[in-house]
Amino acid sequence: MKKRIIIAGCLLLVGVLGAAGTVGYLAFGRPAANPPTEACADGRAPGAPPTVVAAGSSSTQGRLGADWVSALRERPEHRGYEFVNAGINGNTSADLRQRVDTDIIACRPAAVLILIGGNDVRDDVPLDQYRDNLSAIVDRVKSRTTARIALLSLPPLGEDLDAELNRELSTYNTVIMQTATRAQVDYLPVHEQLADILRQRVGDPAPYDFSFPLAFGAATQHYLFGRSWDEVARNGGRELHVDHIHLNDRGGAIITELAAEWLAT
């Protein structure tokens, strides 16, 4: 009997570890769909479909929370495009600046969507440094390609718009708008539309409380138990965020619509 209990315990432990490893890979280790390393490693051949590159961090990579790049790819009106997802978990503006040649320019894009800066806010990257990185990214893409460029404002961090963190984030969004104006590229008001939704909610918003266990729990609900990202957000009492940082499907749809309208112009 004791031996059977030990064996059963070991099998249970293996199952738990296996499930945890699967969730961890799907949410944190799996690369984005059609990343630059696959789509652009050998450059783009003449006559290839026009390429749209979406560059950023985990909110663009779309493995934890809404995958708005894949949602764009799946729209019928975009069948003539190739969408490259150049989002990487944890990236800051400095990280994207380092890989702009390999992950954006090498794709010979017709259009580039840039959503970067949430991790800069969380890491307290000085505003001037963020401005310098973002300007360098835009200027490099402009000088080496003929792509249309859109800068996306940063989604709120957490759902309390009056929190100090979101007041700080607003200064980064001001830099994004100023950079777009200076470089004569487009600006997509992601933050503004998400904030309008959050202002309409009933009751007080939950304070910002992101943690890795919370993110892992959100991923477990989605990948292990099959709950939608909207359900994950509701289970946590949130309107748009699955873990105070990453957007649910409702929030991701805002980005998808803004990007689709921009591509259609």
Side-chain angles (χ1 to χ4, degrees), residues 36 53 55 86 93-107 109 112 114 133 136-142 144-145:
V53 176
S93 59
D95 297 317
L96 182 57
R97 181 177 182 176
Q98 290 180 348
R99 58 187 180 89
V100 65
D101 284 357
T102 57
D103 287 9
I104 299 179
I105 293 170
C107 297
V112 177
I114 299 173
N133 289 332
I137 292 166
V138 173
D139 292 345
R140 183 69 173 170
V141 175
K142 286 192 68 174
R144 297 295 302 276
T145 76

Side-chain angles (χ1 to χ4, degrees), residues 28 64 122 207-215 243-246:
F28 305 104
L64 181 58
R122 296 175 61 233
Y208 176 82
D209 190 27
F210 175 81
S211 65
F212 178 77
L214 179 64
D243 59 2
H244 296 281
I245 291 180
H246 304 99

Side-chain angles (χ1 to χ4, degrees), residues 37-248:
T37 51
E38 295 178 5
C40 313
D42 299 323
R44 302 287 294 151
T51 300
V52 179
V53 176
S57 58
S58 56
S59 293
T60 299
Q61 183 173 344
R63 296 311 192 188
L64 181 58
D67 184 355
W68 59 269
V69 181
S70 289
L72 278 173
R73 183 184 295 115
E74 292 166 2
R75 291 171 71 111
E77 67 267 34
H78 295 154
R79 287 174 183 163
Y81 293 97
E82 177 169 6
F83 285 85
V84 177
N85 190 322
I88 296 181
N89 286 345
N91 262 204
T92 63
S93 59
D95 297 317
L96 182 57
R97 181 177 182 176
Q98 290 180 348
R99 58 187 180 89
V100 65
D101 284 357
T102 57
D103 287 9
I104 299 179
I105 293 170
C107 297
R108 299 179 183 174
V112 177
L113 295 148
I114 299 173
L115 173 58
I116 193 70
N119 291 318
D120 294 74
V121 178
R122 296 175 61 233
D123 293 347
D124 291 322
V125 172
L127 204 59
D128 286 344
Q129 184 176 330
Y130 175 69
R131 185 193 308 273
D132 182 61
N133 289 332
L134 188 62
S135 295
I137 292 166
V138 173
D139 292 345
R140 183 69 173 170
V141 175
K142 286 192 68 174
S143 67
R144 297 295 302 276
T145 76
T146 58
R148 297 173 59 213
I149 302 171
L151 301 183
L152 285 63
S153 59
L154 304 175
L157 290 171
E159 301 191 345
D160 183 357
L161 297 174
D162 295 323
E164 182 179 352
L165 186 64
N166 276 316
R167 289 199 298 270
E168 180 70 16
L169 183 140
S170 69
T171 63
Y172 289 75
N173 278 332
T174 298
V175 167
I176 293 173
M177 183 179 291
Q178 292 172 343
T179 302
T181 300
R182 178 197 63 79
Q184 296 183 320
V185 301
D186 295 313
Y187 173 87
L188 303 189
V190 171
H191 182 277
E192 293 83 340
Q193 293 203 13
L194 294 174
D196 284 344
I197 293 174
L198 293 178
R199 292 189 184 99
Q200 296 170 20
R201 67 171 292 153
V202 178
D204 294 331
Y208 176 82
D209 190 27
F210 175 81
S211 65
F212 178 77
L214 179 64
F216 190 87
T220 299
Q221 290 186 58
H222 180 75
Y223 289 113
L224 203 58
F225 298 108
R227 293 170 184 156
S228 71
W229 292 120
D230 286 345
E231 290 175 312
V232 173
R234 282 196 299 270
N235 290 342
R238 294 178 289 274
E239 291 284 330
L240 297 174
H241 293 84
V242 301
D243 59 2
H244 296 281
I245 291 180
H246 304 99
L247 296 173
N248 62 3

